[in-house]
């Protein structure tokens, strides 16, 4: 069965975006000669991405307005907006829990939960996230969109790996 992984970055105080929904603060503390490429290693086992509308909109308007950076994957965008789907980007207003349940049963590689917070909360509260890949950025935002909020219950995790580079720390957890 396909595994579900959250792969996301957050500020040291737990936010994935500032008060305006911006993520311009997502960077390390300077140059790093190690050049650790965590993303490329992670996506080797991924062929499907789920994201909410706000994450999608930020990608196409601010982070990569000239090209769709996830062209190697099938991306599902959870939204109530009427949008035209393509082969690689599928807009849906399906309940994310129902969508994940269906996708888990299909053949394929693992599934990446890319964001945003509302989608993460829904899947986390149903125990649908198997792995948590969290990069902690050396920034304190003070407020914004919190990654882990509205939790309904305790979820025990097992630490699998950590690494630090450029002031950032990657934490990889598996659901117990």
């Amino acid at each position: 069965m396909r595994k579900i992984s959250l792969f996301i970055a957050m500020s040291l105080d737990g936010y994935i975006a500032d008060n305006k929904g911006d993520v311009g603060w997502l960077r390390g503390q300077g140059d790093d000669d190690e050049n650790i490429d965590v993303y490329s290693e992670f996506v080797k086992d991924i062929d499907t991405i789920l994201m909410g509308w706000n994450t999608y909109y930020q990608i196409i308007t601010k982070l990569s307005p000239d090209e769709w950076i996830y062209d190697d994957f099938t991306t599902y965008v959870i939204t109530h907006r009427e949008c035209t789907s393509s082969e690689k980007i599928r807009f849906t207003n399906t309940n994310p829990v129902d969508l994940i349940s269906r996708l888990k049963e299909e053949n394929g590689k693992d599934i990446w939960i890319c964001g945003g917070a509302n989608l993460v909360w829904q899947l986390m509260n149903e125990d649908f996230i198997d792995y948590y890949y969290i990069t902690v950025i050396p920034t304190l935002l003070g407020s914004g969109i919190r990654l882990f909020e509205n939790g309904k219950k305790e979820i025990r995790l097992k630490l699998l790996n950590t690494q630090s580079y450029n002031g950032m720390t990657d934490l990889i957890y598996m659901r117990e």
Side-chain angles (χ1 to χ4, degrees):
M1 191 176 299
R2 301 167 82 181
K3 299 293 182 195
I4 312 301
S5 295
L6 172 65
F7 184 91
I8 201 164
M10 70 177 190
S11 65
L12 182 60
D13 53 350
Y15 297 98
I16 59 172
D18 66 18
N19 283 335
K20 297 174 186 163
D22 290 332
V23 293
W25 52 271
L26 286 175
R27 60 186 174 280
Q29 61 190 16
D31 295 328
D32 190 342
D33 295 332
E34 294 174 1
N35 292 325
I36 295 175
D37 185 3
V38 177
Y39 172 80
S40 293
E41 191 61 34
F42 171 74
V43 296
K44 285 180 183 176
D45 296 324
I46 300 294
D47 67 0
T48 304
I49 301 174
L50 257 71
M51 66 179 64
W53 171 261
N54 291 338
T55 301
Y56 169 77
Y57 188 74
Q58 186 165 72
I59 292 167
I60 65 167
T61 61
K62 294 181 182 175
L63 301 177
S64 183
D66 298 327
E67 71 173 310
W68 181 243
I69 54 175
Y70 300 128
D71 204 40
D72 293 337
F73 312 96
T74 300
T75 301
Y76 290 86
V77 180
I78 309 296
T79 182
H80 295 292
R81 291 175 170 79
E82 292 292 325
C83 300
T84 303
S85 294
S86 67
E87 181 184 340
K88 292 294 184 175
I89 304 172
R90 300 176 185 174
F91 298 95
T92 180
N93 64 0
T94 303
N95 178 305
V97 172
D98 295 338
L99 179 60
I100 285 285
S101 295
R102 180 176 57 82
L103 292 173
K104 281 181 77 155
E105 298 301 322
E106 294 178 0
N107 290 330
K109 293 183 177 181
D110 293 341
I111 301 166
W112 169 18
I113 308 305
C114 183
N118 192 334
L119 178 61
V120 172
W121 300 336
Q122 290 178 64
L123 298 174
M124 185 180 68
N125 283 327
E126 295 296 326
D127 260 348
F128 269 54
I129 300 174
D130 300 303
Y131 294 93
Y132 293 77
Y133 293 76
I134 311 293
T135 299
V136 179
I137 306 296
T139 299
L140 295 168
L141 290 177
S143 63
I145 300 170
R146 194 170 284 288
L147 176 56
F148 298 117
E149 194 166 66
N150 298 328
K152 293 182 180 177
K153 60 184 173 183
E154 176 181 346
I155 298 173
R156 305 264 319 150
L157 305 174
K158 178 181 179 183
L159 181 64
L160 300 178
N161 192 24
T162 64
Q163 66 180 353
S164 295
Y165 54 95
N166 197 10
M168 301 179 292
T169 301
D170 291 334
L171 305 167
I172 303 173
Y173 292 96
M174 177 179 76
R175 182 171 36 98
E176 285 188 346

